[in-house]
Amino acid sequence: MKQELIFLGPPACGKGTQTEKLAKYLNLPHIDTGSLLRAEIKKQTPEGKLADSYISKGQLVPVDLVGKIIGLRVEQEDCKNGFILDGYPRSIEQAEILEKINQKINKNVETDFRAIYFDVDKDVLLSRIVNRRSCPKCGTIYNVKYHPPKADGICDECGTALVQRADDTEEIAKKRFETYFEQTAPVIDFYKSRNVLRTLDAHGSIDEVWERLKEAVK
Ligand code: AMP
């Protein structure tokens, strides 16, 4: 059966790290809207320039732009057995768009659709954000305090110099939390009402959360 897994949770709740692991474990593509948008910014495409003007303020990128990127991505051949969506949908409007995309791509396809919500206390999140570093080459995520690389500033996996995301400053992070609570948190109830929501306790170490996640997707 086709498996579609949607991940919800506040900024820095740990879903990026876990969904990358899960994608390898389930052999499904990992579709991360934030990374797709940052790739457009790096290439300085018109879409990237537009996205940057929102991302740098901690706001959501316009719904049409993200919907187009996701719609094209999930139609691709590697998504035929399913996919992992990390960072989409982020508003009720986007959740409704995803339903329309699914009606189009899943005609006569039996699908196991689940939304997994990473539940974690808000006070631990800001500290996770400002200490977060990531590898621009392979995407591995570190935390300089709790999950540092072996050599300072260098990716364990591929030896590339780690970077801090431009929107991981305290000021922009606070705005991202506001955006999350206003626009994304209501999506949790949207999926609860459709009986597809699983809530995951996202406190604790990467390994502890991973064990819980494997249970949630069984
Ligand atoms: P993330 O890497 O998931 O933390 O996303 C970084 C930023 O990209 C967000 O703060 C938004 O500005 C933008 N973004 C990511 N996903 C979406 C989405 N589904 N809708 C609109 N904007 C998004």
Side-chain angles (χ1 to χ4, degrees):
M1 192 186 314
K2 183 171 177 181
Q3 195 171 20
E4 282 190 26
L5 297 166
I6 309 302
F7 286 84
L8 305 168
C13 64
K15 63 187 168 48
T17 304
Q18 298 291 342
T19 49
E20 265 210 51
K21 240 171 124 82
L22 188 65
K24 287 182 193 133
Y25 179 74
L26 295 176
N27 197 22
L28 291 175
H30 175 223
I31 305 173
D32 163 12
T33 40
S35 296
L36 291 174
L37 292 166
R38 282 187 289 278
E40 294 298 318
I41 296 174
K42 208 169 168 192
K43 286 188 272 174
Q44 285 289 297
T45 60
E47 287 83 3
K49 286 182 188 162
L50 180 66
D52 195 20
S53 64
Y54 291 87
I55 293 179
S56 60
K57 294 195 204 94
Q59 296 169 352
L60 292 186
V61 166
V63 70
D64 296 348
L65 172 56
V66 200
K68 190 176 147 202
I69 292 179
I70 291 297
L72 289 172
R73 181 65 191 88
V74 298
E75 263 178 20
Q76 287 174 22
E77 181 61 19
D78 65 337
C79 294
K80 76 174 189 316
N81 294 326
F83 49 82
I84 288 172
L85 263 189
D86 172 6
Y88 192 91
R90 254 167 147 124
S91 65
I92 299 281
E93 197 182 358
Q94 292 186 5
E96 287 166 352
I97 290 174
L98 181 62
E99 287 192 334
K100 292 209 181 86
I101 292 174
N102 272 333
Q103 278 163 14
K104 184 177 158 212
I105 62 172
N106 290 338
K107 275 187 201 124
N108 308 321
V109 180
E110 214 188 331
T111 307
D112 177 10
F113 181 101
R114 287 183 214 181
I116 298 174
Y117 163 49
F118 273 48
D119 188 15
V120 51
D121 286 341
K122 199 184 160 200
D123 32 317
V124 300
L125 297 172
L126 196 59
S127 122
R128 280 197 198 170
I129 286 198
V130 294
N131 291 310
R132 176 160 65 183
R133 301 290 181 276
S134 59
C135 175
K137 192 166 174 210
C138 72
T140 306
I141 300 164
Y142 299 88
N143 178 296
V144 290
K145 268 197 184 157
Y146 305 111
H147 173 52
K150 291 191 188 93
D152 207 17
I154 302 294
C155 180
D156 293 346
E157 304 296 324
C158 68
T160 305
L162 301 178
V163 294
Q164 182 173 29
R165 272 171 48 175
D167 61 346
D168 271 353
T169 61
E170 193 164 336
E171 193 195 343
I172 303 176
K174 282 188 174 148
K175 183 67 204 157
R176 286 162 60 203
F177 281 116
E178 265 174 45
T179 306
Y180 172 79
F181 285 105
E182 273 168 24
Q183 299 189 58
T184 311
V187 180
I188 298 165
D189 282 336
F190 177 94
Y191 285 126
K192 202 186 271 172
S193 71
R194 277 163 171 65
N195 262 325
V196 291
L197 187 81
R198 303 269 196 292
T199 298
L200 189 94
D201 174 3
H203 298 92
S205 69
I206 292 175
D207 290 345
E208 284 164 345
V209 178
W210 173 239
E211 290 306 318
R212 287 179 215 132
L213 179 57
K214 280 194 291 187
E215 284 302 310
V217 299
K218 258 186 196 164

